[in-house]
Amino acid sequence: MKILVLNGPNLNMLGIREKNIYGSGTYDDLVRLIEETAKENEMMVKVYQSNHEGALVDRIQQAYDDGTEGIVINPAAYTHTSVAILDALKAVNLPTVEVHLSDVSQREDFRQISYAGKACVKTIMGKGFLGYKEAMLYLKNGNEKEE
Ligand code: DQA
């Protein structure tokens, strides 16, 4: 299975930014976990991070015809603002899982809306880096491995 993992703005600052919320693991550590998960589960993965909304839209559109079969996305702050990312996910119509490192449901009011989430088959939040692993396995196995 070929999947795309997308990360939005400021996630390149993991390990530096608000460690009390996002932990001390770095973005490189996250990419390593994603690549190891893919290897262990015979998945092909492309990992992409951008601080720019349009670049994320472009990368989602690219997934339409590059053989991508599923998307894991943490749109970060764009979660709460971006209709463009929502529309791009709807346009390509690939199974997509939304991931947040922190439990956004317990945070500020402005984080309570997720536009991207409206195009996602599942949302995983508050599980740190392991949320990405769970999302990848969900795309591969569906509900099969859910507790
Ligand atoms: C985040 C939560 C967002 O509200 C925030 O803007 C982020 C990270 C998370 O992974 O918990 O940048 O998506």
PDB file of all heavy atoms in Angstrom, residues 9-11 17 22 74-77 79-80 99-104 107 111, ligand 1:
ATOM      1  N   PRO A   9       2.158  23.433   9.268  1.00  0.00           N
ATOM      2  CA  PRO A   9       3.082  24.431   9.793  1.00  0.00           C
ATOM      3  C   PRO A   9       3.553  24.180  11.225  1.00  0.00           C
ATOM      4  O   PRO A   9       2.777  23.743  12.071  1.00  0.00           O
ATOM      5  CB  PRO A   9       2.282  25.735   9.721  1.00  0.00           C
ATOM      6  CG  PRO A   9       0.862  25.324   9.590  1.00  0.00           C
ATOM      7  CD  PRO A   9       0.875  24.014   8.868  1.00  0.00           C
ATOM      8  N   ASN A  10       4.810  24.470  11.424  1.00  0.00           N
ATOM      9  CA  ASN A  10       5.475  24.426  12.736  1.00  0.00           C
ATOM     10  C   ASN A  10       5.767  23.013  13.239  1.00  0.00           C
ATOM     11  O   ASN A  10       6.400  22.861  14.284  1.00  0.00           O
ATOM     12  CB  ASN A  10       4.680  25.217  13.798  1.00  0.00           C
ATOM     13  CG  ASN A  10       4.510  26.663  13.406  1.00  0.00           C
ATOM     14  OD1 ASN A  10       5.505  27.326  13.124  1.00  0.00           O
ATOM     15  ND2 ASN A  10       3.292  27.149  13.344  1.00  0.00           N
ATOM     16  N   LEU A  11       5.340  22.009  12.501  1.00  0.00           N
ATOM     17  CA  LEU A  11       5.656  20.641  12.945  1.00  0.00           C
ATOM     18  C   LEU A  11       7.132  20.320  12.684  1.00  0.00           C
ATOM     19  O   LEU A  11       7.692  19.419  13.308  1.00  0.00           O
ATOM     20  CB  LEU A  11       4.706  19.627  12.307  1.00  0.00           C
ATOM     21  CG  LEU A  11       3.268  19.761  12.849  1.00  0.00           C
ATOM     22  CD1 LEU A  11       2.294  18.921  12.048  1.00  0.00           C
ATOM     23  CD2 LEU A  11       3.184  19.413  14.327  1.00  0.00           C
ATOM     24  N   ARG A  17       9.438  23.418  19.925  1.00  0.00           N
ATOM     25  CA  ARG A  17       8.221  24.179  20.240  1.00  0.00           C
ATOM     26  C   ARG A  17       7.445  23.517  21.396  1.00  0.00           C
ATOM     27  O   ARG A  17       7.291  22.297  21.426  1.00  0.00           O
ATOM     28  CB  ARG A  17       7.314  24.315  19.004  1.00  0.00           C
ATOM     29  CG  ARG A  17       6.615  23.028  18.616  1.00  0.00           C
ATOM     30  CD  ARG A  17       5.755  23.145  17.359  1.00  0.00           C
ATOM     31  NE  ARG A  17       4.551  23.927  17.535  1.00  0.00           N
ATOM     32  CZ  ARG A  17       3.402  23.658  16.912  1.00  0.00           C
ATOM     33  NH1 ARG A  17       3.293  22.628  16.093  1.00  0.00           N
ATOM     34  NH2 ARG A  17       2.354  24.436  17.096  1.00  0.00           N
ATOM     35  N   TYR A  22       3.775  19.183  23.007  1.00  0.00           N
ATOM     36  CA  TYR A  22       4.074  18.302  21.863  1.00  0.00           C
ATOM     37  C   TYR A  22       5.184  17.289  22.132  1.00  0.00           C
ATOM     38  O   TYR A  22       5.462  16.449  21.283  1.00  0.00           O
ATOM     39  CB  TYR A  22       4.410  19.153  20.631  1.00  0.00           C
ATOM     40  CG  TYR A  22       3.276  20.081  20.250  1.00  0.00           C
ATOM     41  CD1 TYR A  22       3.420  21.467  20.322  1.00  0.00           C
ATOM     42  CD2 TYR A  22       2.037  19.561  19.848  1.00  0.00           C
ATOM     43  CE1 TYR A  22       2.362  22.316  19.993  1.00  0.00           C
ATOM     44  CE2 TYR A  22       0.986  20.401  19.516  1.00  0.00           C
ATOM     45  CZ  TYR A  22       1.159  21.778  19.593  1.00  0.00           C
ATOM     46  OH  TYR A  22       0.108  22.602  19.265  1.00  0.00           O
ATOM     47  N   ASN A  74      -1.668  15.721   9.440  1.00  0.00           N
ATOM     48  CA  ASN A  74      -1.770  16.611  10.587  1.00  0.00           C
ATOM     49  C   ASN A  74      -1.641  18.020  10.014  1.00  0.00           C
ATOM     50  O   ASN A  74      -0.524  18.493   9.788  1.00  0.00           O
ATOM     51  CB  ASN A  74      -0.670  16.327  11.610  1.00  0.00           C
ATOM     52  CG  ASN A  74      -0.801  17.230  12.826  1.00  0.00           C
ATOM     53  OD1 ASN A  74      -1.568  18.187  12.810  1.00  0.00           O
ATOM     54  ND2 ASN A  74      -0.041  16.939  13.874  1.00  0.00           N
ATOM     55  N   PRO A  75      -2.765  18.681   9.756  1.00  0.00           N
ATOM     56  CA  PRO A  75      -2.692  20.007   9.129  1.00  0.00           C
ATOM     57  C   PRO A  75      -2.233  21.094  10.099  1.00  0.00           C
ATOM     58  O   PRO A  75      -2.160  22.261   9.722  1.00  0.00           O
ATOM     59  CB  PRO A  75      -4.134  20.265   8.667  1.00  0.00           C
ATOM     60  CG  PRO A  75      -4.899  18.985   8.897  1.00  0.00           C
ATOM     61  CD  PRO A  75      -4.158  18.246   9.964  1.00  0.00           C
ATOM     62  N   ALA A  76      -1.979  20.711  11.372  1.00  0.00           N
ATOM     63  CA  ALA A  76      -1.533  21.659  12.408  1.00  0.00           C
ATOM     64  C   ALA A  76      -2.508  22.842  12.467  1.00  0.00           C
ATOM     65  O   ALA A  76      -3.715  22.632  12.424  1.00  0.00           O
ATOM     66  CB  ALA A  76      -0.080  22.061  12.188  1.00  0.00           C
ATOM     67  N   ALA A  77      -2.002  24.071  12.511  1.00  0.00           N
ATOM     68  CA  ALA A  77      -2.913  25.216  12.679  1.00  0.00           C
ATOM     69  C   ALA A  77      -3.918  25.337  11.536  1.00  0.00           C
ATOM     70  O   ALA A  77      -5.030  25.856  11.733  1.00  0.00           O
ATOM     71  CB  ALA A  77      -2.107  26.498  12.813  1.00  0.00           C
ATOM     72  N   THR A  79      -5.642  23.124  10.352  1.00  0.00           N
ATOM     73  CA  THR A  79      -6.806  22.319  10.709  1.00  0.00           C
ATOM     74  C   THR A  79      -8.015  23.214  10.937  1.00  0.00           C
ATOM     75  O   THR A  79      -9.128  22.917  10.489  1.00  0.00           O
ATOM     76  CB  THR A  79      -6.540  21.582  12.055  1.00  0.00           C
ATOM     77  OG1 THR A  79      -5.334  20.863  11.955  1.00  0.00           O
ATOM     78  CG2 THR A  79      -7.697  20.678  12.449  1.00  0.00           C
ATOM     79  N   HIS A  80      -7.734  24.302  11.681  1.00  0.00           N
ATOM     80  CA  HIS A  80      -8.812  25.138  12.216  1.00  0.00           C
ATOM     81  C   HIS A  80      -9.194  26.300  11.305  1.00  0.00           C
ATOM     82  O   HIS A  80     -10.063  27.089  11.657  1.00  0.00           O
ATOM     83  CB  HIS A  80      -8.389  25.676  13.591  1.00  0.00           C
ATOM     84  CG  HIS A  80      -7.686  24.641  14.432  1.00  0.00           C
ATOM     85  ND1 HIS A  80      -8.288  23.470  14.813  1.00  0.00           N
ATOM     86  CD2 HIS A  80      -6.410  24.585  14.916  1.00  0.00           C
ATOM     87  CE1 HIS A  80      -7.417  22.741  15.524  1.00  0.00           C
ATOM     88  NE2 HIS A  80      -6.278  23.398  15.593  1.00  0.00           N
ATOM     89  N   VAL A  99      -4.580  13.330  12.143  1.00  0.00           N
ATOM     90  CA  VAL A  99      -3.830  13.075  13.380  1.00  0.00           C
ATOM     91  C   VAL A  99      -3.473  14.396  14.043  1.00  0.00           C
ATOM     92  O   VAL A  99      -3.097  15.356  13.370  1.00  0.00           O
ATOM     93  CB  VAL A  99      -2.515  12.295  13.084  1.00  0.00           C
ATOM     94  CG1 VAL A  99      -1.663  12.178  14.337  1.00  0.00           C
ATOM     95  CG2 VAL A  99      -2.817  10.902  12.542  1.00  0.00           C
ATOM     96  N   HIS A 100      -3.612  14.428  15.369  1.00  0.00           N
ATOM     97  CA  HIS A 100      -3.074  15.537  16.155  1.00  0.00           C
ATOM     98  C   HIS A 100      -2.279  14.952  17.306  1.00  0.00           C
ATOM     99  O   HIS A 100      -2.755  14.027  17.980  1.00  0.00           O
ATOM    100  CB  HIS A 100      -4.199  16.432  16.693  1.00  0.00           C
ATOM    101  CG  HIS A 100      -4.964  17.067  15.591  1.00  0.00           C
ATOM    102  ND1 HIS A 100      -4.448  18.097  14.843  1.00  0.00           N
ATOM    103  CD2 HIS A 100      -6.169  16.772  15.061  1.00  0.00           C
ATOM    104  CE1 HIS A 100      -5.320  18.424  13.908  1.00  0.00           C
ATOM    105  NE2 HIS A 100      -6.373  17.625  14.013  1.00  0.00           N
ATOM    106  N   LEU A 101      -1.119  15.511  17.543  1.00  0.00           N
ATOM    107  CA  LEU A 101      -0.269  15.035  18.637  1.00  0.00           C
ATOM    108  C   LEU A 101      -0.951  15.277  19.973  1.00  0.00           C
ATOM    109  O   LEU A 101      -0.980  14.413  20.850  1.00  0.00           O
ATOM    110  CB  LEU A 101       1.076  15.781  18.603  1.00  0.00           C
ATOM    111  CG  LEU A 101       1.934  15.518  17.365  1.00  0.00           C
ATOM    112  CD1 LEU A 101       2.955  16.632  17.182  1.00  0.00           C
ATOM    113  CD2 LEU A 101       2.612  14.167  17.469  1.00  0.00           C
ATOM    114  N   SER A 102      -1.498  16.478  20.127  1.00  0.00           N
ATOM    115  CA  SER A 102      -2.143  16.855  21.386  1.00  0.00           C
ATOM    116  C   SER A 102      -3.631  16.523  21.307  1.00  0.00           C
ATOM    117  O   SER A 102      -4.177  16.304  20.217  1.00  0.00           O
ATOM    118  CB  SER A 102      -1.956  18.352  21.642  1.00  0.00           C
ATOM    119  OG  SER A 102      -2.615  19.105  20.627  1.00  0.00           O
ATOM    120  N   ASP A 103      -4.264  16.506  22.464  1.00  0.00           N
ATOM    121  CA  ASP A 103      -5.710  16.276  22.495  1.00  0.00           C
ATOM    122  C   ASP A 103      -6.396  17.619  22.303  1.00  0.00           C
ATOM    123  O   ASP A 103      -6.697  18.329  23.272  1.00  0.00           O
ATOM    124  CB  ASP A 103      -6.101  15.632  23.835  1.00  0.00           C
ATOM    125  CG  ASP A 103      -7.586  15.315  23.876  1.00  0.00           C
ATOM    126  OD1 ASP A 103      -8.305  15.663  22.915  1.00  0.00           O
ATOM    127  OD2 ASP A 103      -8.024  14.733  24.874  1.00  0.00           O
ATOM    128  N   VAL A 104      -6.644  17.972  21.046  1.00  0.00           N
ATOM    129  CA  VAL A 104      -7.186  19.302  20.750  1.00  0.00           C
ATOM    130  C   VAL A 104      -8.567  19.512  21.380  1.00  0.00           C
ATOM    131  O   VAL A 104      -8.951  20.645  21.654  1.00  0.00           O
ATOM    132  CB  VAL A 104      -7.223  19.622  19.231  1.00  0.00           C
ATOM    133  CG1 VAL A 104      -5.855  19.941  18.700  1.00  0.00           C
ATOM    134  CG2 VAL A 104      -7.847  18.520  18.422  1.00  0.00           C
ATOM    135  N   ARG A 107      -8.334  21.607  24.408  1.00  0.00           N
ATOM    136  CA  ARG A 107      -7.586  22.873  24.319  1.00  0.00           C
ATOM    137  C   ARG A 107      -8.526  24.056  24.023  1.00  0.00           C
ATOM    138  O   ARG A 107      -9.706  23.969  24.292  1.00  0.00           O
ATOM    139  CB  ARG A 107      -6.459  22.704  23.297  1.00  0.00           C
ATOM    140  CG  ARG A 107      -5.466  21.615  23.754  1.00  0.00           C
ATOM    141  CD  ARG A 107      -4.302  21.450  22.813  1.00  0.00           C
ATOM    142  NE  ARG A 107      -3.501  22.689  22.748  1.00  0.00           N
ATOM    143  CZ  ARG A 107      -2.548  22.895  21.832  1.00  0.00           C
ATOM    144  NH1 ARG A 107      -2.282  21.971  20.935  1.00  0.00           N
ATOM    145  NH2 ARG A 107      -1.880  24.036  21.835  1.00  0.00           N
ATOM    146  N   ARG A 111      -9.553  25.903  18.643  1.00  0.00           N
ATOM    147  CA  ARG A 111      -9.063  24.626  18.078  1.00  0.00           C
ATOM    148  C   ARG A 111     -10.179  23.594  17.958  1.00  0.00           C
ATOM    149  O   ARG A 111      -9.945  22.457  17.570  1.00  0.00           O
ATOM    150  CB  ARG A 111      -7.943  24.049  18.948  1.00  0.00           C
ATOM    151  CG  ARG A 111      -6.697  24.914  18.977  1.00  0.00           C
ATOM    152  CD  ARG A 111      -5.559  24.245  19.747  1.00  0.00           C
ATOM    153  NE  ARG A 111      -4.635  25.247  20.239  1.00  0.00           N
ATOM    154  CZ  ARG A 111      -3.600  25.738  19.541  1.00  0.00           C
ATOM    155  NH1 ARG A 111      -3.331  25.277  18.333  1.00  0.00           N
ATOM    156  NH2 ARG A 111      -2.812  26.664  20.061  1.00  0.00           N
TER     157      ARG A 111
HETATM  158  C1  DQA B   1      -1.718  20.127  16.343  1.00  0.00           C
HETATM  159  C2  DQA B   1      -2.817  20.903  17.085  1.00  0.00           C
HETATM  160  C3  DQA B   1      -3.084  22.233  16.391  1.00  0.00           C
HETATM  161  O1  DQA B   1      -4.110  22.930  17.068  1.00  0.00           O
HETATM  162  C4  DQA B   1      -1.831  23.090  16.430  1.00  0.00           C
HETATM  163  O2  DQA B   1      -2.055  24.298  15.731  1.00  0.00           O
HETATM  164  C5  DQA B   1      -0.629  22.384  15.917  1.00  0.00           C
HETATM  165  C6  DQA B   1      -0.456  20.961  16.223  1.00  0.00           C
HETATM  166  C7  DQA B   1      -1.341  18.821  17.083  1.00  0.00           C
HETATM  167  O3  DQA B   1      -0.687  17.996  16.447  1.00  0.00           O
HETATM  168  O4  DQA B   1      -1.674  18.644  18.254  1.00  0.00           O
HETATM  169  O5  DQA B   1       0.260  22.990  15.335  1.00  0.00           O
HETATM  170  O6  DQA B   1      -2.197  19.778  15.068  1.00  0.00           O
END
